[in-house]
Amino acid sequence: MCLCLRKHSSFSPRKVEVEYDKQRRNAVFQSGIDISERIQLDPKTQEEEDLIRTAIENNDFMTKILFGDILKAVIPTMYKRFINAGDVIIKEGNKGSHMYVSITGKFEVSNQNFKNTFEDVRVFGELAIIYDAKRLATIKALTDAEIWVLDAVTYQQVLRRYNVKEQEERVNFLIKNDILKNAGEKVLKSAANSLKSESFKGDTAIVTEGEKGDKFYIVRAGTVTVTKKGEDFIQTHGKGYCFGERALLEETCRQATVTANPPLVECLTLSRKSFFELTEYLKIIPPKLSVAKPNIYQDIKLEDLKICFTLGIGGFGRIELVKHNETNKLFALKYMSKIDVVRDMRQQHAINERKQIQCSSPFILDMYKTFRDNKFVYYLLEACLAGDLWNILYREIPDKRFKEKEAKFIVGCVLEAIEYLHSNEMIFRDLKPENVLLTSNGYFKLTDFGYAKKLPRFEKTFTFAGTIEYVAPEVASKKSYDRAVDIWTIGIFTFEMLSGKTPFAGSTESSTFKKILDGIEKVNFPNFVPAAAKDLVLKLCRQNPQNRLGMDEGIAKIKSHRWFNGFNWNKLQNLEMVSPFMARAKKNRNPDMYTPDKNIPEDELSGWDEEFK
């Protein structure tokens, strides 16, 4: 049965054509790759290597993610391609899978708004190596030409291997340590993920003899000098040297002074508190997501529902307000064409959304059940007729920003939702106003779990996932990451609530990525953003993931920041706080906003949706 063909007679919307709002931001996703496949190498002369290196270093975005050992490993994988005059290299609107460096020839760049030419050595099509970005312009050769090509899969293989190698190196540092090796391989592998990077200027004492120790160090780059008072004891050590390990296991004073040698020393560090938390964590069974209350709607069948009107249309589905025939209970029903899901290779995304069923939090939208038929997969959700936060912010508020009290309330609701997910070892990865709904009680709930992922606390993942303006630098540069990406997005979200824009939005996706990699310190905060809120955002959006506020002590540390002074968290958690959005919560969606769905897709019977039964 195709539910979209059934309409409830008392809700017959007028046929009003409404164009989908292009300003709403869709998330992007890059599928995982197999790093075991052999990487093809293309031998090059020194002159050719220098040409590629110079082109990449002259590209503001690429120089942020391709440098050092990674660049050295990538250049040999690029291959030469000869282009005939008139050949189209990149077609506007197509999804990209290659980056190019021009060598010789003249090229034309064009789209609907402009036309230009170039014949210098430059990088183009660079976003394709980060994710399956749609091309923003057409590039064709005006003359016979030569280019170097980097395949996205090859790039990701190189980068993934580099990340794995770096992780293995950290583990080896720990396992080879005579004292720490007794903690066990499982503990040390997890500890390697918790190491922070710290830099020390030359002639700076990293630890001082006689002081109480609470941190362990591994020299990652540079050299250090070790000295002891009253003794002719001087030693110099370089990469891999460990010191302070006893501080992880017992309260003790430093036995020697370790000084950084010029010009700079980089160390990987682990605090005693973090090491203790890790060892205690690994002794217990991690918590599981579960439904605290019985699902009273479990027996509802798809055929028992009738469509009233459309609540919204997204990039990957449509949401209808539906009424249950027997009880007249209203629900939201989200559905996606299965053949479109398969065509776009979004099966895992659709399956991930079902994780919402497992959640039981007053700050996460209730999902009651899923269905499937030959054409669609369906999600039966709690109905929120007041709409999403994006619509409130950018369609209902004249100055496109919330008052400080309102922003605190919204961010408070989101923090409760993220804290719940993190406590159940799940990362969300796609926080933004489009995924926050206003409920009838004036509170906000998180929804759309397509990019949510189960991730044990001391593990990391690699998949590129999120909305461009919100992705953390470690995601943008294709490094491994953990729950710190959610903390970053809370900072971006807070900035947007108070200013009506995101801090890194650029004219192009490439410029947005560059701004993200440049860091929050280079962002000009509007004068009307309170000083305490600015301080919070700066601490949430630190470039080093392990240094972000909330990484050591969880979301509770964010909630204790001075911006929230006087905020009653107990009242919020018990839904006893008076919401500043009660008046808006009573406003229902206009039933005439969207025309009825007339799309009847082909059947899709591959069986990927077995869980939706």
Side-chain angles (χ1 to χ4, degrees), residues 35-53:
I35 65 171
S36 65
E37 293 183 6
R38 185 170 178 269
I39 296 176
Q40 296 290 331
L41 302 180
D42 188 293
K44 298 172 181 64
T45 66
Q46 186 62 51
E47 183 180 359
E48 289 173 325
E49 289 188 4
D50 290 344
L51 180 147
I52 295 171
R53 184 177 292 105

Side-chain angles (χ1 to χ4, degrees), residues 50-117:
D50 290 344
L51 180 147
I52 295 171
R53 184 177 292 105
T54 299
I56 289 173
E57 289 174 349
N58 288 338
N59 183 286
D60 287 342
F61 169 56
M62 292 307 302
T63 193
K64 298 285 185 182
I65 64 172
L66 269 183
F67 55 87
D69 291 341
I70 301 175
L71 178 58
K72 187 177 180 180
V74 164
I75 289 176
T77 71
M78 299 181 70
Y79 59 90
K80 187 179 286 186
R81 181 176 155 194
F82 296 92
I83 307 295
N84 295 320
D87 285 354
V88 174
I89 305 166
I90 289 175
K91 179 70 173 176
E92 182 183 2
N94 288 352
K95 285 188 176 181
S97 58
H98 298 82
M99 183 192 85
Y100 307 97
V101 174
S102 57
I103 306 173
T104 61
K106 186 174 183 178
F107 305 85
E108 179 186 82
V109 186
S110 64
N111 63 19
Q112 294 179 348
N113 301 316
F114 75 95
K115 182 182 290 188
N116 206 345
T117 62

Side-chain angles (χ1 to χ4, degrees), residues 40 55 84 86 104 129 151 166 288 318 351 429 432 435-436 464 509 511 540-541 545 564 597 605:
Q40 296 290 331
N84 295 320
T104 61
I129 67 170
D151 176 81
E166 187 178 46
K288 302 293 182 183
R318 189 175 178 111
I351 292 169
R429 299 197 290 189
K432 57 186 176 184
N435 290 339
V436 179
F464 184 99
E509 290 182 350
S511 64
L540 293 173
C541 294
F564 288 106
D597 186 9
L605 305 173

Side-chain angles (χ1 to χ4, degrees), residues 492-559:
I492 306 301
F493 182 81
T494 302
F495 186 100
E496 187 170 11
M497 294 301 98
L498 289 165
S499 65
K501 60 182 180 180
T502 53
F504 302 111
S507 57
T508 64
E509 290 182 350
S510 181
S511 64
T512 296
F513 278 127
K514 180 186 179 298
K515 289 181 179 182
I516 290 169
L517 296 172
D518 282 342
I520 192 72
E521 292 79 13
K522 293 189 177 182
V523 172
N524 291 320
F525 283 68
N527 293 333
F528 50 76
V529 173
K534 177 180 177 179
D535 181 72
L536 174 62
V537 172
L538 290 172
K539 289 177 177 176
L540 293 173
C541 294
R542 286 171 173 154
Q543 289 294 100
N544 187 328
Q546 296 303 318
N547 289 339
R548 288 172 199 156
L549 182 69
M551 282 303 292
D552 281 341
E553 299 177 48
I555 299 295
K557 187 68 174 178
I558 302 173
K559 290 158 70 172

Side-chain angles (χ1 to χ4, degrees), residues 198-211 213 215-229 233-247 253-262 264-269:
E198 294 186 39
S199 296
F200 302 89
K201 293 181 180 180
D203 299 323
T204 300
I206 301 173
V207 301
T208 302
E209 183 179 352
E211 290 183 349
K215 192 180 288 186
F216 165 67
Y217 300 82
I218 304 170
V219 176
R220 188 180 188 185
T223 62
V224 297
T225 298
V226 183
T227 58
K228 289 187 177 180
K229 293 178 181 178
F233 179 86
I234 301 177
Q235 292 183 346
T236 300
H237 298 279
K239 182 178 180 179
Y241 176 63
C242 302
F243 56 98
E245 54 266 58
R246 291 188 183 278
C253 293
R254 302 297 189 187
Q255 303 300 303
T257 296
V258 180
T259 304
N261 292 329
L264 193 73
V265 172
E266 181 190 0
C267 290
L268 299 173
T269 68

